[in-house]
Amino acid sequence: MAATLAELAEMRYAALTVDAVARRAGVHKTTVYRRWKDKDGLIVDALAGQIATEIPIPDTGTVDGDLRLLARGLAAWLRGPSGAAVLAVMLSEAALAPGIAEARARIFHDRLRRAEPIVTRAVGRGELPAGIDPAAVVKAVAAPLYFRVLITAEPVDDEAADRSVAAALAAARNGGLG
Amino acid sequence: MAATLAELAEMRYAALTVDAVARRAGVHKTTVYRRWKDKDGLIVDALAGQIATEIPIPDTGTVDGDLRLLARGLAAWLRGPSGAAVLAVMLSEAALAPGIAEARARIFHDRLRRAEPIVTRAVGRGELPAGIDPAAVVKAVAAPLYFRVLITAEPVDDEAADRSVAAALAAARNGGLG
């Protein structure tokens, strides 16, 4: 996985080969092919690992605290080198490769689902109304940050993260998120 | 502009040439160069024109009605061929070209600003609190739709548009947007 990410960071997607990844990892390419059928499989797993490990899911005892840490962690990741690399690969020519567009959606869905306990715990504590859609709350926190990076090119800093959380919680408490 | 978009739809960005655009438009390439210094300038203007003309700014008399039409128009554009083509160019290798990343942000900011009167009219009618940030409301409507197209690959239909408006208005009325 580390060798795949290192190759991706140096090469564009089109130039990445399983041979080069194997060489960098110090194994024979048949060892790689035993587990992954092609370079797209390798890339998808490497990116999924990146996303899962780099943004921890907080448990501070309040929904404000949890979402704020989540949003700030996402913001730091998006403006850092890993986030930029992952987004560049996922939205570049790689997204045209069979499997990668589908994997992109699956990876982000997994990532969003892992954060949903923040919302279900908040409902349990009476901080958010029962019947709220946990996925909708997490997406409402994440969407404005991706929008800044990908569309408006506005800064993705702690202030942007906090604004995103304030808007999501205001919507959630006012019945705007299911 | 039409010739540029037609070339973009057929070619990838890297393969587009000013010569081919001029040929398709039935003019000599010096005519094109008199107004645009290179292909990136042509593309930026063609895309900006697309975005400005294809999503009308409604004035129905209520903020719910206006934002709903705005969001449904944006959703239709995003899931249609023009939206897909514009996003593909803006987020692909073209975004690495000097000027295009900057132009992308400028184009989307212009587009967002044109929709702000929806919010200022709503404040004037007493539908939204004074002191709200019009740009924040428009972005809150748009961000979840772009997030669906670019990240989660969820459908961008009328229902998604209406949900986006409901969340943005709930946040706006609850002090979550400035």
Side-chain angles (χ1 to χ4, degrees):
Chain A
M1 295 295 91
T4 304
L5 290 171
E7 283 291 315
L8 265 181
E10 270 178 35
M11 309 281 168
R12 305 261 319 157
Y13 164 78
L16 185 139
T17 65
V18 171
D19 271 23
V21 170
R23 209 160 34 238
R24 190 185 278 261
V27 300
H28 194 269
K29 68 177 174 179
T30 52
T31 308
V32 178
Y33 280 117
R34 207 171 299 139
R35 178 137 171 213
W36 292 279
K37 77 174 176 7
D38 56 24
K39 77 172 184 177
D40 288 349
L42 258 179
I43 291 172
V44 164
D45 280 2
L47 296 181
Q50 267 291 300
I51 292 177
T53 55
E54 291 211 0
I55 310 174
I57 307 298
D59 186 6
T60 63
T62 69
V63 69
D64 299 71
D66 284 358
L67 288 182
R68 197 172 279 233
L69 278 182
L70 182 77
R72 288 180 171 207
L74 173 60
W77 180 80
L78 282 170
R79 68 176 182 265
S82 313
V86 169
L87 285 181
V89 171
M90 288 202 174
L91 295 169
S92 74
E93 73 274 40
L96 302 172
I100 290 204
E102 184 267 330
R104 180 185 71 201
R106 186 169 47 76
I107 287 168
F108 282 104
H109 276 293
D110 284 356
R111 171 97 199 87
L112 292 165
R113 199 163 47 236
R114 288 182 57 231
E116 290 178 17
I118 290 174
V119 180
T120 48
R121 287 194 304 254
V123 172
R125 287 188 300 256
E127 291 181 291
L128 289 178
I132 204 162
D133 177 0
V137 177
V138 176
K139 288 177 197 170
V141 170
L145 300 176
Y146 281 94
F147 187 68
R148 280 172 172 257
V149 172
L150 296 172
I151 302 297
T152 63
E154 290 172 287
V156 192
D157 49 17
D158 285 354
E159 193 198 327
D162 295 351
R163 279 175 190 272
S164 185
V165 170
L169 282 176
R173 290 180 171 134
N174 212 14
L177 295 171
Chain B
M1 296 294 91
T4 304
L5 290 170
E7 282 292 314
L8 265 181
E10 269 178 36
M11 308 281 167
R12 307 262 313 158
Y13 164 77
L16 185 137
T17 65
V18 171
D19 271 23
V21 170
R23 212 161 31 238
R24 191 184 279 262
V27 300
H28 194 268
K29 67 178 173 176
T30 52
T31 308
V32 178
Y33 280 116
R34 207 170 300 138
R35 177 137 172 213
W36 292 279
K37 77 173 174 12
D38 55 24
K39 77 172 184 177
D40 288 350
L42 256 180
I43 292 173
V44 164
D45 280 3
L47 297 180
Q50 266 290 301
I51 291 177
T53 56
E54 291 212 0
I55 310 175
I57 307 298
D59 186 5
T60 63
T62 69
V63 69
D64 299 70
D66 284 357
L67 288 181
R68 196 172 280 232
L69 279 183
L70 181 77
R72 288 180 173 207
L74 174 60
W77 180 79
L78 282 170
R79 68 176 183 266
S82 316
V86 169
L87 286 181
V89 171
M90 288 203 173
L91 296 168
S92 75
E93 73 274 44
L96 302 172
I100 289 204
E102 184 267 331
R104 181 185 70 202
R106 185 169 47 77
I107 288 168
F108 283 104
H109 276 294
D110 283 356
R111 170 97 199 87
L112 292 165
R113 198 164 49 238
R114 288 183 56 232
E116 290 178 19
I118 290 174
V119 179
T120 48
R121 287 193 304 252
V123 172
R125 288 188 298 255
E127 293 181 290
L128 290 177
I132 204 162
D133 177 359
V137 177
V138 177
K139 288 177 197 170
V141 170
L145 301 175
Y146 281 94
F147 187 68
R148 280 173 172 255
V149 172
L150 296 172
I151 302 297
T152 63
E154 290 171 288
V156 191
D157 49 17
D158 285 354
E159 194 199 327
D162 294 351
R163 279 175 190 275
S164 186
V165 170
L169 282 176
R173 291 179 170 136
N174 212 10
L177 294 171

